[in-house]
Amino acid sequence: MSKILEVAYGNAQKTHDTSSFVFRLTGGESGEEPLYGVCLYANEFVSQMPVIASSSLSSALSPNSSFSEETIPSGGDGEGGGEEANLRKYLVAAPRCYCLITKTPFFKTTFEVLRAVVTSEKLERLRRDERRLMKDLEMAFSRSGITPTKPPPPPLPKTSGEDEESKNIARDLNFSEEAPRTLKSKTDSDVKATSSRGFNRSVEEQTRKNDDSLRILESFHAESIPKLGDATRVFNGPLIKDEAGKALNSEKKKSILDAPIPFYRPVSTTDDPCFERKCIRDSVGKITYTYDEEAAHIEPWAIAALCRSLSIENIMAFMACALLEKQVVVFSPNLGQLSGVILSLLAMLRPLRPRGLFLPILPNSMTDFLEAPVPFIVGIQHKTNDIRQRTQHITRLNAYKDEIKIMGGIVATAPNWHELREKLRPIHASIRLAAETQVFSSVLEPSEKSSKLCGEFGECFRNHMRDAILGRIRSYSIAEVGKDGQKVAVLLKDELVDSYVGRDRSFMKNFCETQLFTAFTDELLDI
């Protein structure tokens, strides 16, 4: 029974860091417009439709719509329905994924809004179950002829679809042996009365007024994007309304949310001319931010996931493979860990950006890309036999085992790589220690101390890249005057490579042939 109560009313998404993850897609007219998905798992009964989904469904029903035995399985008393009837004796619970798709990289704010939606779903189920239990108590007292000495507490405010949902819960959870097998349709008089008032519009308006989770989403969607540098902005959420759907007076105004959600947009501290300033814009031109800002929002939680998962030696090997555009596949059954490890590259490699296929979570329908002759970095949750065969010739990083297998032997190391590793080692150890002392509720919620350490880790790595790898580019470029009189910068690539010695020269020779390097130098010399 305790497991049932935990699934029905518990807050399981706060107990472990496997309940959330992030994915990133690119598309749009330019092919580089990112789209982010912030996802949260919550254990729920399969037989219960989410409140927000049932509300949307009820608002979409037409006056002629009705439920019947043909549309809902009855469980069957005959021979063919025996197995289905047996299944109805059990409560089946499974992780249900709630996901918010957004064009902006405000991951922590989006996650907090998503968690508020899931919490609102739980509270709404509790309200509906409380009303159902009160009805059961009243029926029990009336049958026994006992008059309670103290009247029962008044029920919580009703929401749309209460009666039907109460019947659904009683049926799905088998609280009553005589639970109805089908949903009863409204009587003709009810349907006619509802139709005369404008069924679709009235139901939809009532649904939106009473569905807290839907109101939270609508309020967040209507929220304007903070201005760059705004470090005090918060999302307050919608206000609580009375039974009539009206906002309370000014003295009693209170938000649905327990506390305001931070909605910050700090200014990036990167001022080095080597760092690009190209902006990300959506197709309609309403959303604009830099790649540097995107990386700044990724850094606090993604680098924490990277350091928790991999040793400092494997992190350095992973970064070297990314710089040389190796084909890399990352494995982990934990989607939060998988997305964090791969997305950390966007923060660590600033101002460089992966130019090949970059998918933190590769869909099962896209495994053919593993045989493509192009650079890619992808994440795969489960290693099936088919995946094993397709990835035999690819560099494989097992994040859950902290192992990396590099195809073609040991990858060439970047200039002063060992010196950088020793600088990063104490910061890496501190991040792992902070992770051990914190109970993670989400991969997107590292502690304040861990976030600060992640900033130091990323800054140390980027400073080294700027000084040892990217800092010499301008010194080995010349300006030529074209026929139209415009100056054109030309990179002396061979001279740049020859300025390094030993193993460093071998690395720079391969690095200068990558799309990563070519795209960066074109943007840099075009300034």
Side-chain angles (χ1 to χ4, degrees):
M1 190 63 184
S2 60
K3 290 291 183 181
I4 296 176
L5 294 176
E6 180 181 351
V7 172
Y9 311 120
N11 210 359
Q13 71 269 18
K14 288 190 175 183
T15 59
H16 50 77
D17 65 341
T18 60
S19 60
S20 59
F21 63 96
V22 175
F23 63 85
R24 181 182 186 270
L25 304 173
T26 54
E29 296 178 357
S30 64
E32 296 184 357
E33 181 182 333
L35 199 65
Y36 311 97
V38 180
C39 305
L40 175 64
Y41 279 120
N43 279 332
E44 296 179 0
F45 292 119
V46 176
S47 58
Q48 288 185 346
M49 183 183 294
V51 178
I52 189 172
S54 61
S55 299
S56 301
L57 180 62
S58 64
S59 64
L61 289 177
S62 64
N64 297 325
S65 300
S66 62
F67 295 102
S68 66
E69 295 182 2
E70 297 178 359
T71 59
I72 298 179
S74 62
D77 295 331
E79 295 179 359
E83 182 179 353
E84 193 171 321
N86 289 333
L87 289 176
R88 293 180 63 83
K89 297 179 181 179
Y90 302 96
L91 292 176
V92 181
R96 177 173 282 147
C97 184
Y98 292 80
C99 183
L100 276 182
I101 308 297
T102 175
K103 292 183 178 181
T104 56
F106 306 120
F107 302 104
K108 185 171 177 57
T109 301
T110 305
F111 174 74
E112 290 294 341
V113 171
L114 186 59
R115 187 159 64 181
V117 169
V118 176
T119 302
S120 178
E121 293 274 310
K122 294 279 186 180
L123 290 175
E124 182 60 25
R125 289 195 186 95
L126 182 59
R127 292 189 187 103
R128 296 183 179 185
D129 286 358
E130 181 183 14
R131 287 190 290 268
R132 179 191 52 76
L133 291 173
M134 292 301 300
K135 291 179 181 179
D136 289 347
L137 284 175
E138 292 175 1
M139 291 178 61
F141 281 128
S142 63
R143 288 175 183 175
S144 61
I146 300 175
T147 303
T149 56
K150 182 182 294 186
L156 295 174
K158 294 184 178 181
T159 59
S160 62
E162 169 200 331
D163 294 334
E164 293 296 341
E165 184 64 18
S166 298
K167 295 175 184 177
N168 292 348
I169 295 172
R171 181 198 65 206
D172 296 335
L173 300 185
N174 289 329
F175 284 113
S176 171
E177 295 181 358
E178 300 178 356
R181 295 176 182 171
T182 60
L183 294 175
K184 296 181 180 179
S185 61
K186 294 183 177 181
T187 62
D188 294 339
S189 60
D190 291 338
V191 172
K192 291 179 180 178
T194 307
S195 301
S196 63
R197 293 192 302 267
F199 181 87
N200 289 330
R201 182 177 300 177
S202 62
V203 172
E204 184 175 357
E205 290 178 355
Q206 188 64 25
T207 298
R208 292 179 182 275
K209 287 180 181 179
N210 296 321
D211 189 348
D212 288 350
S213 54
L214 186 59
R215 291 180 60 216
I216 292 173
L217 288 179
E218 290 180 338
S219 178
F220 184 61
H221 181 264
E223 193 80 6
S224 61
I225 297 177
K227 294 182 180 180
L228 190 63
D230 189 349
T232 60
R233 179 78 169 272
V234 294
F235 170 63
N236 293 309
L239 298 177
I240 296 177
K241 296 184 178 181
D242 58 17
E243 295 184 11
K246 298 181 179 180
L248 301 177
N249 57 45
S250 57
E251 297 179 356
K252 298 181 179 179
K253 279 185 178 181
K254 187 178 180 182
S255 172
I256 292 176
L257 305 178
D258 294 334
I261 297 176
F263 200 179
Y264 304 157
R265 193 181 178 191
V267 178
S268 174
T269 58
T270 303
D271 297 322
D272 194 281
C274 283
F275 284 72
E276 62 184 316
R277 288 294 179 266
K278 186 177 179 181
C279 293
I280 302 173
R281 292 184 176 87
D282 67 337
S283 55
V284 295
K286 291 184 177 181
I287 301 174
T288 303
Y289 57 92
T290 64
Y291 288 102
D292 189 58
E293 183 182 355
E294 175 194 39
H297 285 286
I298 291 174
E299 182 178 79
W301 60 272
I303 293 182
L306 177 73
C307 293
R308 293 201 311 268
S309 306
L310 303 178
S311 63
I312 186 63
E313 288 77 15
N314 286 341
I315 290 177
M316 301 300 290
F318 181 40
M319 295 299 147
C321 289
L323 287 171
L324 296 180
E325 291 187 339
K326 295 278 187 180
Q327 293 180 328
V328 182
V329 177
V330 182
F331 294 101
S332 176
N334 184 340
L335 291 177
Q337 181 187 48
L338 189 65
S339 59
V341 168
I342 296 180
L343 286 173
S344 66
L345 291 173
L346 299 180
M348 294 287 289
L349 299 183
R350 274 191 299 170
L352 305 174
R353 299 197 319 276
R355 294 290 173 170
L357 180 65
F358 185 82
L359 284 176
I361 302 173
L362 184 70
N364 294 332
S365 59
M366 297 177 62
T367 54
D368 290 341
F369 278 100
L370 296 175
E371 299 177 357
V374 295
F376 58 75
I377 300 175
V378 298
I380 296 179
Q381 185 179 15
H382 300 296
K383 190 188 296 185
T384 62
N385 291 332
D386 178 60
I387 296 297
R388 292 177 190 273
Q389 295 178 358
R390 292 175 182 266
T391 58
Q392 289 180 353
H393 62 288
I394 299 174
T395 296
R396 302 182 298 277
L397 173 62
N398 292 322
Y400 63 99
K401 292 182 178 179
D402 191 13
E403 296 177 355
I404 185 170
K405 295 181 180 180
I406 301 174
M407 299 309 297
I410 300 175
V411 67
T413 57
N416 301 326
W417 210 236
H418 299 290
E419 177 186 344
L420 173 61
R421 183 183 62 190
E422 296 308 313
K423 288 182 180 178
L424 293 175
R425 190 182 297 277
I427 308 176
H428 175 268
S430 299
I431 294 175
R432 301 195 77 161
L433 180 61
E436 293 175 359
T437 56
Q438 179 188 3
V439 179
F440 283 90
S441 58
S442 164
V443 70
L444 291 165
E445 289 186 313
S447 63
E448 185 176 348
K449 179 181 179 181
S450 179
S451 299
K452 184 178 179 180
L453 290 169
C454 289
E456 295 178 5
F457 190 90
E459 191 67 23
C460 181
F461 187 90
R462 291 188 294 271
N463 287 340
H464 181 85
M465 282 208 310
R466 179 192 60 200
D467 298 337
I469 301 177
L470 305 177
R472 301 186 188 184
I473 293 178
R474 288 194 179 276
S475 301
Y476 288 89
S477 62
I478 58 175
E480 295 182 349
V481 180
K483 295 181 180 180
D484 54 357
Q486 293 184 352
K487 291 184 178 181
V488 179
V490 178
L491 177 65
L492 305 176
K493 190 180 296 184
D494 292 338
E495 285 76 1
L496 174 64
V497 173
D498 291 339
S499 66
Y500 294 88
V501 296
R503 294 182 177 179
D504 295 347
R505 180 180 297 176
S506 175
F507 175 89
M508 290 302 300
K509 183 178 180 180
N510 293 326
F511 177 62
C512 289
E513 300 300 324
T514 62
Q515 300 177 42
L516 200 72
F517 178 82
T518 302
F520 172 73
T521 54
D522 289 345
E523 292 176 356
L524 178 66
L525 299 179
D526 191 40
I527 297 178

